Amino acid sequence: MVEIPVPQHMTAEEFRRHGRAVVDWIADYWERVESLPVRSRVQPGEVRGQLPSTPPQVGESFDAVLADLDTIVVPGLTHWQHPGFFAYFPTSTSGPAVLAELLTSGLGVQGMLWQTSPACTELEQHVLDWLAEMLALPEKFTFAGTGGGVIQDTASSAILVALVAALHRVSGGQVARDGVARGRYAVYTSTQAHSALEKGVRISGLGTSSIRLIETRPDLSMDPDALREAMKTDAVQGIIPVMVMATVGTTSTGALDPVEPIGRICREYGVWLHVDAAYAGVAAVCPELRWIHQGVAAYADSYATNPHKWMLTAFDCDACYVADRKALVGALSVLPEYLRNTATDSGAVVDYRDWQVPLGRRFRALKLWAVIRCYGVEGLRTHVRHSVALAQQFAAWVAADERFELMAPHPLSLVCFRLRGPDEPNQRLLEALNASGRIYLSHTVVRGAFTLRLAIGGTATRYEHVSAAWDHISRIAAEG
Ligand SMILES: *Cc1c(COP(=O)(O)O)cnc(C)c1O
């Protein structure tokens, strides 16, 4: 008999021991993260400089990995779960989400087809139907209607698949065969929209020359009259409008495009309307904030929001909905022989490989399910209301201080503000705040002026953190 060396795996007993240590490590990290500098202080190359140049030839203990996590990795982290993290949009994680992620990787299933793990698909369909109901999204976005939801990694992927579905619909399937002809199509969004659309048109082959950036109104929301003019101009030249992307809560300032009048124009021209609500959409879990979705039910062909931003569901989790699943599946479905199976042939199941760019997919629904079950709809409302109330308090402090000005409406949890006057003191203020290690803010440019952004939504952020942040900002600004 030939001797075949047997691979050595972590035993069940070792896994239990290290697993407990890892859970303890995370709990300790969450308890102490407030004492760490929010933005990492390492210099470029400093992390790599501490790592051995070659991998170990012989396996080490997991304890050695954990030890290096403390000494090498943690100092090289910017702490997104720090209660003083107010930059970009906080990416909130939570106990239920992390535990469910652990289960996801422990199960190690691949949900590319219904058949490759039925529960992975059906739980995702079900939880996304739940979320649609929680956000008061229309029935057309559910599996009871003509559409349905799918978890994408990010809002960027949601934009890309919406664009491809829109191209499929407008071309009657021709684009899937022949690709896109140069100069034939146009895509519309506001000057304030996320750069993910530009990436999407590059990847889809439309090219950036297909984008029409529509001017905004004084509140930085898309101007529907300007949208109509742009479409008219294109129509005269025989250019076909493919998609309009409206944003509910722009990244720069949280501006809310008027989806209803935009939607009416889309309907008139037969154009696909995608609503990018990556950050703000989950706020609609609160009945008093559902006005942000005005027009979505009547007009949107697709819609996406990121539970990983403001709904406590560890990165990555984007909930992406389409009103007509046939357009999306038509655009993306490819069925090679090796994926054929009777469940797919029966037409009775959803195969999520047809709803996304990759074939393989993680069991992400588990964490969204865990978050919704453990917080409950009421718990999630409390989280959103808490962030909104803290942001309103912060904005009131800014408004009451004549050195500062507010730069945009702030109905949700993002506040854009600056020192009155030139940009340079604002740039210095931001750098001093972020170098302090106590808080972390990012910036944008509003009407040409350098502006600080304070976004609230982190899991651990409380009144005392926002109040300390304001004291700190106020004091550093006074020191000039
Ligand atoms: C965060 C954000 C995105 C893109 O984020 P992803 O990392 O791709 O999920 C897109 N649009 C808006 C409005 C955003 O806030």
Side-chain angles (χ1 to χ4, degrees), residues 166-248:
L167 270 169
H168 190 74
R169 189 175 81 178
V170 79
S171 71
Q174 199 204 339
V175 162
R177 271 192 320 275
D178 304 329
V180 288
R182 180 155 174 261
R184 187 173 168 82
Y185 297 111
V187 172
Y188 307 78
T189 199
S190 94
T191 55
Q192 303 294 306
H194 196 275
S195 55
L197 183 63
E198 177 169 341
K199 208 183 248 188
V201 297
R202 290 201 210 172
I203 296 170
S204 64
L206 283 165
T208 49
S209 63
S210 69
I211 296 192
R212 309 286 183 265
L213 290 179
I214 308 302
E215 283 308 320
T216 56
R217 306 181 292 189
D219 65 356
L220 300 168
S221 66
M222 193 195 293
D223 179 354
D225 295 333
L227 173 65
R228 181 188 294 281
E229 280 311 308
M231 279 196 192
K232 268 195 207 152
T233 307
D234 282 333
V236 168
Q237 299 178 58
I239 295 171
I240 301 167
V242 177
M243 184 172 101
V244 173
M245 184 174 95
T247 309
V248 169

Side-chain angles (χ1 to χ4, degrees), residues 99-139:
L99 293 174
E101 279 278 34
L102 185 59
L103 291 170
T104 293
S105 54
L107 295 171
V109 303
Q110 260 280 4
M112 54 196 179
L113 302 169
W114 177 86
Q115 170 145 310
T116 59
S117 234
C120 182
T121 294
E122 293 193 17
L123 192 73
E124 184 160 328
Q125 292 180 268
H126 204 75
V127 172
L128 286 173
D129 276 359
W130 275 6
L131 184 65
E133 185 191 311
M134 288 162 59
L135 304 182
L137 294 172
E139 199 195 50

Side-chain angles (χ1 to χ4, degrees), residues 89 154-156 159 194 196 247 249-251 276 278-279 306 308-309 315:
F89 286 119
T154 60
S156 302
I159 292 168
H194 196 275
T247 309
T250 60
T251 312
D276 175 16
Y279 145 67
N306 285 353
H308 72 232
K309 273 183 176 156
F315 190 83

